[in-house]
Amino acid sequence: MSILVIAEHDNSSIKPATLNAVTAAIQIGGDVHVLVAGQGAAAAAQAAAQVTGVARVILAEGESLAHGLAENLAAQVLALAGDYSHILFPATASGKNTAPRVAARLDVAQISDITKVESADTFERPIYAGNAIATVQSADAKKVITVRTTAFDAAAATGGSAAVESIAAVADSGKSRFVGVDVTKSDRPELTAAKIIVSGGRALGSSEKFNEVLTPLADKLGAALGASRAAVDAGYAPNDWQVGQTGKIVAPQLYIAAGISGAIQHLAGMKDSKVIVAINKDPEAPIFSVAD
Amino acid sequence: KRVVDYNVKVRVKSDGSGVDIANVKMSMNPFDEIAVEEAVRLKEKGVVTEIVAFSAGDAKAQETLRTALAIGADRAILVETAEELQPLAVAKLLKALLDKEQPQLVILGKQAIDDDANQTGQMLAALADLPQATFASKLEIADGKAQVTREIDGGLETLSIDLPAIVTTDLRLNEPRYVTLPNIMKAKKKPLEVFKPEDLGVDAKPRLKTLKVSEPPKRGAGVKVPDVATLVDKLKNEAKVL
């Protein structure tokens, strides 16, 4: 039984989310192979080969895979799928985009956002914004899974010595084209991987206030900045800072929620944090029910 | 999709068989409202000629379709079944309807807030062999193509996809309108067709078996600190996170 993990990478290195997915793969048991698909991604493949627990790295390079378009990436995974019992994606924007395409083509149900491996066919996953945990069993021959990265420790990025094997990239589907990307510039730690997160809500009142109050605190703590949906919708913070059911799911050592009431949808994204600190004028705010 | 209203805090049944949804308020999945709103706006711009709203589930899903009709959809299709529907089954039902109706654009929500799966749109795109643009925060249609801005982990990405295509909505695509009473009345007269999965030749049986549903682990009660100094002291010395 072999397991294929689809790596998320920026061509030169693999992203931490991949390491969490590798840990989930190791828990399922079997040879763990990693697919690095992209263009000019040889360095990322080398990095994947160093990860403890990885038996083999498959490098697929070609123009069709340059921007991670779901149509092409799914076709690439399907070309390899025959050899694997489990196909794992980190539950990132890219993984969520591509995994269901693979599952549907294989005619199997996908298991989203697993938080625990019970056995090779049984997994735990949160439903209803994390208010219930479902234990699900798949009877399908192949399991296509996305892994909630905060629920699994990262595999060690060094200590492995897997062989890297190059394969030809699939042809371009021709139906979708990459136009451009607008990446939010940030010197801070990545939100989903940060040890400390300082998060602000609507109560901060304006984008200036948001930066004025939270930025120095985050700088002092070496923390990432997050936001509630209300703060994002009001334009105080960019979209990709949103923490919650529909934004990022985080589980840092310390989460500081400033001016956030604590709606169900926000709690879904941060209630697995080790220590939660709430700063709020309203003593009845639901955030206090989860704060330490 | 008809789901438990997003403001309801669901309770897990004590026998672990599921969550208790008897007698709780149900409404249209918030992402689906955004999808319907976007379709109606495209029609108002003259880009779209007809909007068909789709739902699958028990007979009560008709209410959800009536809401879509009140927002501005022209007609509705319900696939009625008492069986639990999982994303793959819904994608297959939609694929069968796509073959019948031949729409140029299918808009779905990015995820349903009950199963939190985030799969159906992508699965439909795969089954129909169409391009997809998920997590859309901006959608423009011109010259047989859709230009879509998507919310990705580091920011925003723009794709151009050929029509027909599948788009799933993110929260910031639009602000859904409220339905007005006159429109609710008019919606009652709009056509609503009902099919069974068998009519469409789809096996809608669930593939994943839910063994049990449990409560998430509870957090211990917290403490309130009177001032910042105590907070910092506690974080440093008790929690040891600073």
Side-chain angles (χ1 to χ4, degrees):
Chain A
M1 189 169 77
S2 299
I3 302 174
L4 184 64
V5 174
I6 315 304
E8 191 145 326
H9 64 89
D10 60 5
N11 284 338
S12 53
S13 63
I14 54 167
K15 296 199 177 160
T18 313
L19 302 175
N20 306 108
V22 166
T23 300
I26 293 168
Q27 289 182 8
I28 292 167
D31 275 355
V32 178
H33 298 182
V34 173
L35 169 67
V36 176
Q39 194 180 25
Q46 284 306 329
Q50 310 292 316
V51 176
T52 302
V54 173
R56 189 168 144 206
V57 174
I58 302 163
L59 173 63
E61 287 197 283
E63 208 171 325
S64 62
L65 299 169
H67 301 292
L69 293 172
E71 294 78 7
N72 298 337
L73 180 54
Q76 186 69 62
V77 175
L78 286 163
L80 296 166
D83 299 336
Y84 296 96
S85 60
H86 295 71
I87 301 173
L88 269 58
F89 292 77
T92 56
S94 165
K96 291 174 184 176
N97 191 28
T98 310
R101 246 189 123 95
V102 173
R105 281 287 172 83
L106 294 170
D107 194 27
V108 304
Q110 184 204 301
I111 310 155
S112 294
D113 242 339
I114 62 161
T115 50
K116 193 173 167 197
V117 175
E118 291 261 326
S119 69
D121 67 357
T122 307
F123 307 91
E124 280 188 8
R125 60 176 303 263
I127 53 175
Y128 287 91
N131 285 306
I133 309 292
T135 306
V136 295
Q137 185 174 40
S138 163
D140 289 320
K142 286 184 196 297
K143 277 77 170 165
V144 177
I145 295 168
T146 63
V147 177
R148 176 164 295 191
T149 55
T150 56
F152 296 89
D153 294 333
T158 55
S161 55
V164 176
E165 177 196 334
S166 284
I167 58 165
V170 291
D172 187 65
S173 78
K175 287 178 178 169
S176 69
R177 278 158 303 279
F178 173 81
V179 177
V181 65
D182 179 11
V183 176
T184 313
K185 296 264 183 304
S186 175
D187 304 328
R188 301 185 179 285
E190 203 187 342
L191 192 54
T192 49
K195 290 215 158 40
I196 303 179
I197 294 174
V198 176
S199 204
R202 180 161 43 198
L204 289 156
S206 70
S207 143
E208 293 72 40
K209 206 81 190 160
F210 196 96
N211 291 322
E212 189 188 314
V213 176
L214 297 187
T215 308
L217 177 60
D219 284 342
K220 183 101 184 165
L221 299 173
L225 279 168
S228 70
R229 181 186 168 196
V232 172
D233 282 351
Y236 305 166
N239 298 344
D240 55 313
W241 287 11
Q242 185 181 322
V243 172
Q245 184 183 18
T246 63
K248 304 271 166 60
I249 312 282
V250 299
Q253 294 289 306
L254 173 61
Y255 187 90
I256 302 181
I260 294 178
S261 64
I264 298 171
Q265 293 79 11
H266 186 76
L267 300 184
M270 46 64 82
K271 67 181 178 186
D272 293 325
S273 306
K274 183 157 174 274
V275 175
I276 298 171
V277 171
I279 306 171
N280 208 301
K281 284 197 293 196
D282 174 10
E284 305 295 318
I287 190 82
F288 286 118
S289 68
V290 297
D292 299 288
Chain B
K1 181 173 184 181
R2 183 172 185 267
V3 297
V4 172
D5 188 86
Y6 71 97
N7 283 312
V8 173
K9 189 162 194 293
V10 295
R11 280 205 326 261
V12 174
K13 286 190 207 163
S14 52
D15 64 356
S17 63
V19 296
D20 192 359
I21 57 168
N23 305 317
V24 301
K25 187 181 175 210
M26 305 289 280
S27 16
M28 191 190 299
N29 180 42
F31 292 99
D32 301 351
E33 278 186 54
I34 295 171
V36 177
E37 173 68 31
E38 194 65 20
V40 174
R41 288 186 189 191
L42 287 170
K43 192 178 174 194
E44 286 167 349
K45 279 190 221 159
V47 180
V48 160
T49 49
E50 191 193 28
I51 303 167
V52 183
F54 163 87
S55 189
D58 63 16
K60 287 184 181 154
Q62 286 208 17
E63 293 166 18
T64 305
L65 286 171
R66 290 291 170 201
T67 307
L69 293 168
I71 299 172
D74 297 293
R75 59 190 173 92
I77 296 175
L78 172 66
V79 175
E80 197 180 310
T81 170
E83 194 142 37
E84 179 206 344
L85 286 171
Q86 291 178 347
L88 184 61
V90 177
K92 286 181 178 178
L93 293 170
L94 269 166
K95 162 72 169 63
L97 285 170
L98 245 58
D99 294 342
K100 252 167 88 112
E101 300 271 346
Q102 303 283 330
Q104 288 297 294
L105 183 64
V106 184
I107 313 182
L108 301 90
K110 82 162 172 182
Q111 78 191 60
I113 60 166
D114 52 2
D115 64 12
D116 283 332
N118 193 335
Q119 301 174 6
T120 309
Q122 295 91 314
M123 287 184 154
L124 172 61
L127 296 175
D129 197 18
L130 294 176
Q132 70 185 44
T134 50
F135 325 143
S137 60
K138 195 170 169 206
L139 169 63
E140 277 164 9
I141 309 276
D143 309 326
K145 288 186 170 49
Q147 176 133 334
V148 186
T149 302
R150 307 176 53 230
E151 295 197 8
I152 58 168
D153 286 333
L156 297 169
E157 173 188 81
T158 305
L159 299 180
S160 168
I161 54 176
D162 292 349
L163 297 180
I166 313 293
V167 171
T168 74
T169 64
D170 214 318
L171 281 172
R172 271 160 288 274
L173 183 60
N174 61 46
E175 188 87 29
R177 68 193 68 186
Y178 288 103
V179 294
T180 58
L181 189 59
N183 283 341
I184 292 174
M185 301 311 289
K186 271 184 231 160
K188 289 186 177 164
K189 298 202 182 70
K190 290 185 179 175
L192 192 156
E193 266 182 290
V194 181
F195 295 100
K196 298 266 175 215
E198 307 83 78
D199 302 337
L200 300 168
V202 173
D203 173 9
K205 278 194 199 52
R207 297 288 193 84
L208 289 180
K209 197 164 122 197
T210 302
L211 302 180
K212 70 167 194 258
V213 175
S214 53
E215 291 262 0
K218 287 242 186 323
R219 291 187 80 94
V223 292
K224 285 195 184 174
V225 293
D227 53 39
V228 174
T230 324
L231 170 64
V232 173
D233 178 65
K234 275 189 177 293
L235 288 177
K236 277 195 174 141
N237 299 319
E238 275 181 40
K240 300 195 193 308
V241 286
L242 286 185

